[in-house]
Amino acid sequence: MNFLAHAFLSFDQEKILVGNFIADFVKGRQIENFEEETKRGIFLHREIDLFTDSHPLVKAGQSYLRPKFGHYSTVITDVFFDYFLIKNWSEFSASTVEDFIQKTYNTLDRHEDIFPERFANMYYWMKKDNWLLHYGEVEGIRRSLTGMAKRTRFDSKMEQAHLALIEYEDEFEVIFFAFFRELETFARQKLSELASHS
Amino acid sequence: MIVIKPKISTYFSLSLIVVALLTGLIFILRDFAYKGSFGLWFYLIAASLITLVLLMLLVKMMAGFRFITAGRDQIIVKLPLRGFQKAYPIGDILVWEEEVVVANKKEFRQMTVAFSDQQSISISNHEHEAYHELVKYLRKKAGKKEIKNKKA
């Protein structure tokens, strides 16, 4: 999943949110440098991504993208899900998406000192350009995927993936609604499992 | 009032394919459980493939399952599967466009309407009834908001 979904699936738990955000930038034994609750956020992030990548409905969605974007389809669907999360925010939260995003930035700011360096560099731009909110617009999706395309070693064609969102918006929205509720239940359950094991 | 609803004939054909695929999947899984007539790889590949196609078909059917009523200067969108219903005044249309694709000498038309609250709807001439009436209605009521650029 992408950043906004990970923030939402941290269920307003401060250090879980931090761990959930930095997880992709924490490699190997570096995890031992973090305190227990942040570690749980990192583990939760990995469980969420594993659940998403192996879900049949997500795979069905990726079938629309695979002919053109190959294995980058997984990245693209993650970004698309953030788009639908913002688009249908009122169905998932009582607060506004703007308030939620601001709260997320405020929380992350309080823990800047533990950010891995690569994440800190990226977070600066994320906050400055308000990536989280812009995932709710096709133009924001285009910019985000174009940025990712520039960083890939091969020609991913991700800069054109927003066109697939426009073309298959209804299909992806059906998939999002069917999948995201299940993911929310899974993440909640996994988080309490992680808490009980520590 | 113009009522756009899913074409029964399209949904009937798709349902037949879904039933056929489901029967095939059940047959394969039963054969795997009780007989094992084929190698393991056959079951793994066939079952995954059929499940994927089945899901794609169901997603396609669910995505198109929408009812749109146009008239009295408003468009009412009803998505029964999501329990969503909303009436948009014509002024709430941001833009709309019709895309025409010719394939196998058949013309497929798809129209997308984007509303000011970031919601959008897409309907096509081969999946929905009264498609052409809605296009005419929009040309009359919101002609200035049409994007005319796609013809493939």
Side-chain angles (χ1 to χ4, degrees):
Chain A
M1 295 304 285
N2 201 34
F3 287 111
L4 186 70
H6 279 295
F8 177 75
L9 296 171
S10 299
F11 307 108
D12 291 324
Q13 297 184 42
E14 185 152 342
K15 288 179 183 168
I16 298 292
L17 173 78
V18 177
N20 219 335
F21 256 71
I22 63 173
D24 283 336
F25 298 83
V26 178
K27 305 288 176 200
R29 290 189 177 187
Q30 288 172 355
I31 197 167
E32 300 305 330
N33 303 333
F34 298 97
E35 64 179 275
E36 211 47 51
E37 214 181 334
T38 313
K39 269 193 216 172
R40 285 210 294 274
I42 297 173
F43 288 130
L44 178 66
H45 178 111
R46 292 174 183 169
E47 292 287 347
I48 287 170
D49 282 358
L50 200 64
F51 181 84
T52 304
D53 292 342
S54 56
H55 199 286
L57 265 173
V58 179
K59 285 194 186 296
Q62 286 163 357
S63 309
Y64 294 113
L65 306 169
R66 225 167 259 286
K68 186 163 186 181
F69 305 103
H71 68 271
Y72 294 102
S73 312
T74 53
V75 181
I76 297 167
T77 44
D78 285 351
V79 178
F80 284 4
F81 287 149
D82 267 10
Y83 169 81
F84 291 112
L85 182 57
I86 296 189
K87 192 177 163 195
N88 300 288
W89 184 258
S90 58
E91 300 204 21
F92 294 93
S93 173
S95 67
T96 67
V97 68
E98 288 83 0
D99 286 349
F100 176 81
I101 288 171
Q102 193 50 55
K103 207 173 136 196
T104 300
Y105 289 139
N106 293 344
T107 307
L108 290 168
D109 287 347
R110 286 197 288 274
H111 297 271
E112 259 179 324
D113 52 322
I114 65 159
F115 286 175
E117 197 185 333
R118 277 178 52 235
F119 177 78
N121 294 337
M122 194 200 65
Y123 178 69
Y124 169 81
W125 292 106
M126 178 192 284
K127 197 177 146 190
K128 186 172 178 285
D129 296 338
N130 204 353
W131 292 1
L132 296 185
L133 191 64
H134 288 138
Y135 289 137
E137 301 153 2
V138 175
E139 177 54 23
I141 297 286
R142 187 193 66 77
R143 278 209 304 263
S144 168
L145 290 168
T146 303
M148 289 182 196
K150 284 177 187 161
R151 292 193 294 274
T152 58
R153 213 179 293 170
F154 305 101
D155 180 19
S156 65
K157 297 189 176 66
M158 279 196 289
E159 68 280 2
Q160 298 166 30
H162 65 288
L163 299 174
L165 175 62
I166 296 169
E167 190 175 356
Y168 296 110
E169 181 160 359
D170 295 333
E171 284 82 357
F172 279 115
E173 194 156 31
V174 166
I175 291 170
F176 170 78
F177 272 102
F179 163 71
F180 201 75
R181 292 280 184 210
E182 207 184 319
L183 177 66
E184 195 183 347
T185 310
F186 168 82
R188 216 178 274 280
Q189 216 166 22
K190 194 49 78 178
L191 191 57
S192 59
E193 264 176 48
L194 289 167
S196 63
H197 288 154
S198 60
Chain B
M1 292 289 261
I2 302 160
V3 181
I4 310 282
K5 53 186 179 184
K7 268 188 182 172
I8 293 173
S9 57
T10 307
Y11 272 69
F12 181 71
S13 315
L14 288 173
S15 302
L16 281 182
I17 301 171
V18 166
V19 171
L21 287 169
L22 207 57
T23 311
L25 186 62
I26 292 169
F27 171 80
I28 285 173
L29 293 176
R30 271 184 65 89
D31 192 90
F32 175 66
Y34 298 115
K35 292 183 190 167
S37 325
F38 310 97
L40 180 64
W41 281 108
F42 171 80
Y43 294 110
L44 283 175
I45 293 169
S48 313
L49 207 66
I50 294 176
T51 308
L52 198 65
V53 176
L54 250 174
L55 281 173
M56 287 181 75
L57 268 177
L58 288 171
V59 164
K60 180 88 192 147
M61 289 170 77
M62 287 166 77
F65 195 69
R66 54 190 56 214
F67 296 82
I68 296 153
T69 314
R72 295 181 195 142
D73 289 332
Q74 63 173 3
I75 293 177
I76 301 167
V77 179
K78 196 174 170 187
L79 310 175
L81 296 174
R82 271 177 51 198
F84 175 89
Q85 181 169 338
K86 191 164 179 180
Y88 293 96
I90 288 292
D92 279 3
I93 296 175
L94 276 185
V95 286
W96 68 276
E97 73 168 358
E98 188 184 30
E99 190 177 359
V100 185
V101 178
V102 180
N104 292 332
K105 292 177 186 170
K106 276 185 183 174
E107 195 179 69
F108 294 90
R109 287 171 178 266
Q110 178 166 305
M111 180 180 55
T112 305
V113 186
F115 298 104
S116 56
D117 65 349
Q118 283 197 317
Q119 296 290 334
S120 61
I121 48 163
S122 293
I123 55 168
S124 62
N125 67 332
H126 55 283
E127 281 176 34
H128 297 94
E129 287 171 2
Y131 171 88
H132 294 288
E133 284 84 341
L134 182 64
V135 175
K136 260 189 224 167
Y137 181 78
L138 284 178
R139 288 219 165 104
K140 188 175 156 196
K141 296 283 182 179
K144 286 182 182 169
K145 291 175 179 174
E146 183 181 3
I147 301 172
K148 294 173 185 169
N149 59 358
K150 288 194 176 175
K151 180 125 189 163

